């Protein structure tokens, strides 16, 4: 006799009968409701919801969306998602937050393909050209080296600085590099001839901490570049006349990081615990106060868009109109969001219109060294000296996950362009690849012999990342 | 030679001659010729004395000329210091942490003969009387097969004593240690690290199995606190160290890390 006993699993989800209808409201990433509530069948699939949303929001391209309820993703049908929320009752409207997803998928980085020798002192800064075909690295031996990514060989050595090259930045049209050094000099290099333009620009009295070009959609010719220094001032230089146009005495203490935002403002993070917002004529627009200690790093949610909006995927032609269009789309009618990480172990989310922070994000146990928005602006990752990285929601600052795995302070972090992976460089000489979806370590990338100081993932043009560190080697990593 | 300052007095009272500068210039212009004539024509003792003076003068002149030349050369190369750090580390005083084994250290290790090249190579032999204390047992205290160890020991965490009736070697709890003060030889810093086990006691293999720690013993310590990583990415969590003091006399175990 066969007695089949029904084993009831303790976690069995009770699904609603298939002909039930529920009221659903679609909420956009900022938290606002898109439409009045819709009446949908419980068995609506993800694809059907996408087509409904596309009609409602009226997007032009085939935009792919993902749907969330209380941070749980909709995978199959609406029924399963409803079942996962035990508090939901049929009379209430079911809220679904939608997020646009990137259409392309970047493959994870798993191995080292090249260890480029040449620098005689530790490599301090690393940045890919927007297409990802040339890598510029600045080092303590006062030179900048350009490396070709197709053959993984050196192209040129740019000499002209007299002290450590602390920071460098490619111009938005990728024809020039501006670099700042430890003695306060700023050099502008012409990449087509691999030579220094004019003379080094003198003006700062102490070392240069960061360099930023004016975004392309504000100025098509890329004439203005700003540099910030330990002496507390920001200087705006003209690439054409090679002279200092304006010097802003921004802070009393050192400026740790400076960004040129897409709305035309210059954001300066300083050791005097405030962040200054300036316009390019030197006038202060806002002072963002809130941190209790040095502000180490700032990031804007439009960072990635500003870096590569003028180039489209696979195309090296500069499309200036497209840059403006993409930037406006990223802003979506609101202001740029700024996140700052500080020595007081917290992060804060700001908008330049108000001097008080919107959100204060706590959780780290030591100084926060580097913060980065994901390229789609949805997430923030923060790297800290407490050996962990934390992921936060990019819109409201809610904590999402903590990534542990490093055995030394995490120095820098970089996103892949589809916002699915993060690469972190640490004092323990390893780089680690983290998956955002699984919220844990995807690949461990050892290989450096000493601390890794800088890392960059190529924004457009292939899955490669470059890193440089104290062992004087520049390493290229690919899938 | 004027015997008093009558020349200066006259110049103060009546002023200098109108052609004094001209005359002084011409006299100075004649000097090289006069010196040359002397140098070529002097003989004997006077020549010797003159040559000696002249040699000193010339040495001085050469130095001055070099100094003048240096002023013309622009000093372009400033001191570029070693130890370049990125901007986020510039204002911070970083503690020197133990680093990954560098290539140089590895080379040194390969050059050195023998794998166990330890700081303390030879240790003084210890007699059994020094190490053990005979414990008498039995109803009439006639049996003397028990021994109590007089030196510091290490027992593993899962250690349970044998039944006291059958215990031959007694390790007193007062002489059991779990931590050692380990010094890194390159960095000259000392850390208090937990012990993992005794690798080798130079006195005898018996002491190794018992876990006795004396001067010169090689012990294994837990170094996960130091955050060392190999080149392949694995985290190093244990290393060997050699004990450098007499723990039973000091009350603590001091050791140097064997890198």
């Amino acid at each position: 006799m066969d007695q089949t006993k029904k084993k009831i699993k303790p976690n069995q989800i009770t699904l609603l009968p298939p002909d039930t209808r529920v009221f659903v409201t679609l909420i956009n990433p900022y938290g606002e409701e898109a439409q009045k509530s819709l009446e949908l069948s419980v068995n609506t699939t993800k694809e059907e919801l996408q087509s409904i949303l596309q009609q409602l929001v009226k997007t032009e391209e085939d935009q792919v969306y993902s749907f969330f309820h209380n941070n749980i993703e909709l995978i199959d049908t609406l029924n399963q998602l409803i079942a996962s929320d035990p508090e939901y009752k049929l009379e209430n409207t079911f809220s679904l937050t939608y997020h646009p997803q990137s259409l392309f998928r970047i493959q994870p980085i798993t191995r080292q393909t090249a260890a480029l020798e040449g620098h005689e002192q530790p490599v301090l800064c690393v940045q890919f050209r927007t297409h990802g075909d040339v890598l510029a690295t600045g080092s303590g031996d006062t030179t900048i080296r350009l490396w070709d990514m197709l053959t993984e060989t050196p192209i040129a050595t740019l000499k002209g600085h007299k002290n450590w090259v602390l920071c460098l930045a490619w111009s938005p049209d990728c024809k020039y590099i501006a670099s700042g050094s430890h003695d306060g000099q700023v050099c502008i290099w012409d990449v087509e001839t691999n030579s220094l333009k004019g003379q080094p620009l003198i003006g700062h009295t102490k070392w240069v901490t960061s360099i930023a070009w004016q975004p392309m959609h504000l100025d098509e010719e890329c004439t203005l570049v700003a540099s910030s220094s330990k002496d507390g001032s920001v200087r705006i230089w003209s690439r054409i006349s090679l002279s200092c146009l304006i010097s802003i005495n921004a802070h009393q203490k050192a400026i740790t990081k400076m960004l040129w935002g897409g709305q035309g403002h210059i954001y300066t993070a300083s050791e005097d615990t405030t962040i200054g917002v300036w316009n390019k004529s030197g006038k202060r627009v806002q002072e963002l106060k809130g941190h209790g200690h040095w502000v180490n790093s700032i990031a804007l949610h439009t960072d990635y868009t500003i870096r590569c909006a003028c180039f489209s995927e696979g195309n090296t032609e500069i499309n200036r109109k497209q840059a403006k269009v993409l930037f406006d789309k990223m802003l979506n009618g609101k202001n740029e969001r700024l996140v700052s990480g500080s020595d007081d172990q917290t992060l804060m989310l700001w908008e330049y219109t108000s001097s008080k922070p919107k959100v204060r994000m706590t959780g780290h146990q030591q100084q926060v060294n580097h913060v980065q928005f994901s390229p789609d602006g949805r997430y923030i990752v923060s790297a800290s000296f407490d050996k962990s990285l934390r992921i936060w929601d990019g819109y409201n600052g809610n904590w999402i996950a903590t990534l542990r795995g490093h055995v030394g302070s995490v120095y820098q972090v970089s996103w892949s362009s589809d916002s699915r992976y993060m690469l972190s460089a640490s004092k323990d000489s390893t780089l680690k690849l983290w998956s955002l979806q699984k919220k844990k370590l995807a690949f461990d990338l050892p290989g450096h012999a000493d601390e890794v100081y800088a890392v960059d993932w190529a924004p457009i043009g292939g899955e490669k990342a470059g890193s440089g560190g104290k062992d004087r080697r520049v390493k290229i990593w690919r899938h | 030679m004027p015997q008093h300052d009558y020349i200066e007095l006259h110049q103060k009272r009546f002023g200098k001659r109108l052609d004094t500068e001209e005359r002084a210039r011409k006299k100075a212009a004649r000097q090289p010729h006069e010196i040359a004539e002397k140098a070529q024509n002097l003989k004997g003792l006077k020549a010797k004395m003159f040559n000696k003076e002249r040699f000193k003068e010339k040495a001085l002149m050469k130095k001055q000329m070099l100094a003048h030349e240096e002023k013309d050369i622009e000093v372009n190369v400033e001191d570029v210091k070693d130890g370049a750090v990125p901007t986020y580390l510039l204002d911070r005083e970083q503690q020197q942490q133990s680093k990954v084994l560098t290539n140089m250290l590895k080379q040194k290790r390969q050059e050195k003969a023998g794998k166990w090249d330890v700081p303390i190579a030879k240790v003084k032999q210890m007699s059994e009387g020094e190490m053990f204390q005979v414990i008498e047992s039995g109803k009439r205290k006639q049996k003397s097969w028990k021994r109590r160890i007089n030196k510091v020991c290490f027992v593993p965490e899962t250690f349970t004593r044998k039944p006291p009736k059958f215990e031959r070697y007694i390790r007193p709890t007062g002489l059991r240690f779990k931590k050692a003060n380990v010094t890194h030889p390159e960095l000259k810093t000392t850390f208090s690290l937990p012990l993992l086990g005794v690798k080798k006691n130079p006195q005898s293999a018996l002491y190794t199995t018992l876990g006795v720690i004396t001067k010169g013993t090689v012990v294994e310590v837990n170094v996960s606190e130091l955050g060392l990583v190999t080149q392949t990415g694995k985290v190093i969590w244990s290393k060997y160290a050699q004990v450098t003091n007499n723990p039973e006399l000091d009350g603590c175990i001091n050791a140097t890390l064997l890198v």
Side-chain angles (χ1 to χ4, degrees), chain A residues 32-88:
Chain A
E32 295 153 6
E33 291 184 6
Q35 271 285 22
K36 290 176 274 184
S37 51
L38 312 159
E39 202 186 326
L40 296 171
S41 156
V42 155
N43 270 339
T44 328
T45 59
K46 191 175 170 185
E47 286 79 31
E48 287 169 12
L49 268 171
Q50 268 183 16
S51 55
I52 293 168
L53 186 60
Q54 274 171 6
Q55 285 179 7
L56 283 175
V57 181
K58 295 190 190 67
T59 50
E60 286 176 12
E61 303 156 15
D62 283 319
Q63 183 67 272
V64 180
Y65 291 96
S66 60
F67 300 90
F68 291 82
H69 172 78
N70 286 352
N71 283 332
I72 306 167
E73 194 172 348
L74 168 67
I75 305 165
D76 294 318
T77 60
L78 209 53
N79 214 343
Q80 302 224 329
L81 199 61
I82 292 170
S84 69
D85 185 1
E87 293 173 354
Y88 174 71

Side-chain angles (χ1 to χ4, degrees), chain A residues 139-180:
Chain A
S139 148
D141 65 357
T142 78
T143 62
I144 298 172
R145 280 170 199 258
L146 300 175
W147 312 86
D148 175 40
M149 284 297 107
L150 199 61
T151 54
E152 289 177 353
T153 53
I155 299 174
T157 307
L158 307 174
K159 291 184 194 173
H161 274 296
K162 294 193 188 76
N163 216 313
W164 313 337
V165 178
L166 287 175
C167 47
L168 59 85
W170 285 89
S171 68
D173 58 0
C174 291
K175 290 185 189 159
Y176 303 96
I177 298 177
S179 59

Side-chain angles (χ1 to χ4, degrees), chain B residues 118-120 181-185 219 221 240-244 254-259:
Chain B
V118 287
I120 304 170
N181 303 322
V182 184
T183 313
H184 195 287
V219 289
V221 281
Y240 292 126
Q242 195 187 29
V243 176
T244 52
N254 295 340
T256 43
L257 203 62
L258 301 174
V259 278

Side-chain angles (χ1 to χ4, degrees), chain A residues 121 124 140 162 164 166 182 207 209 230 271 296 343 367 369 407 411-412 427-428 446-447 449-451 453, chain B residues 76 79-92 94-95 97 99-100 227 229 231-233 235:
Chain A
Q121 291 284 326
L124 301 178
K162 294 193 188 76
W164 313 337
L166 287 175
H182 193 71
W207 65 77
T209 52
K230 174 155 166 73
E271 280 178 10
N296 285 330
D343 260 18
Q367 301 92 309
N369 199 40
V407 291
Y411 281 156
Q412 300 271 290
K427 189 177 179 177
D428 66 2
D450 214 333
E451 304 177 19
Y453 284 150
Chain B
N76 264 330
D79 275 331
V80 179
K81 283 178 245 169
D82 270 344
V85 272
T87 49
Y88 47 84
L89 292 176
L90 269 171
D91 273 333
R92 299 186 194 275
Q94 289 283 64
Q95 272 185 329
Q97 295 282 318
K99 296 281 158 48
V100 164
V229 182
Q231 278 231 345
T232 51
V235 181

Side-chain angles (χ1 to χ4, degrees), chain B residues 62-84:
Chain B
K62 267 195 183 174
K63 274 190 199 167
Q64 280 186 348
M65 277 167 66
L66 266 177
H68 282 306
E69 265 179 46
E70 270 181 15
K71 271 192 198 170
D72 292 336
I73 301 168
E74 268 185 52
V75 181
N76 264 330
V77 179
E78 276 174 25
D79 275 331
V80 179
K81 283 178 245 169
D82 270 344

Side-chain angles (χ1 to χ4, degrees), chain A residues 289-291 337-341 346-351 354-362 380 392-399:
Chain A
K289 284 189 233 186
H291 276 297
R337 282 169 278 137
L338 177 81
V339 68
S340 59
T346 63
L347 288 94
M348 290 196 186
L349 204 58
W350 316 79
E351 254 181 45
S354 151
S355 77
K356 290 254 169 13
K358 275 171 59 184
V359 192
R360 187 163 171 262
M361 298 125 85
T362 56
I380 299 166
W392 316 81
D393 184 286
Y395 296 100
N396 50 28
N398 290 337
W399 171 82

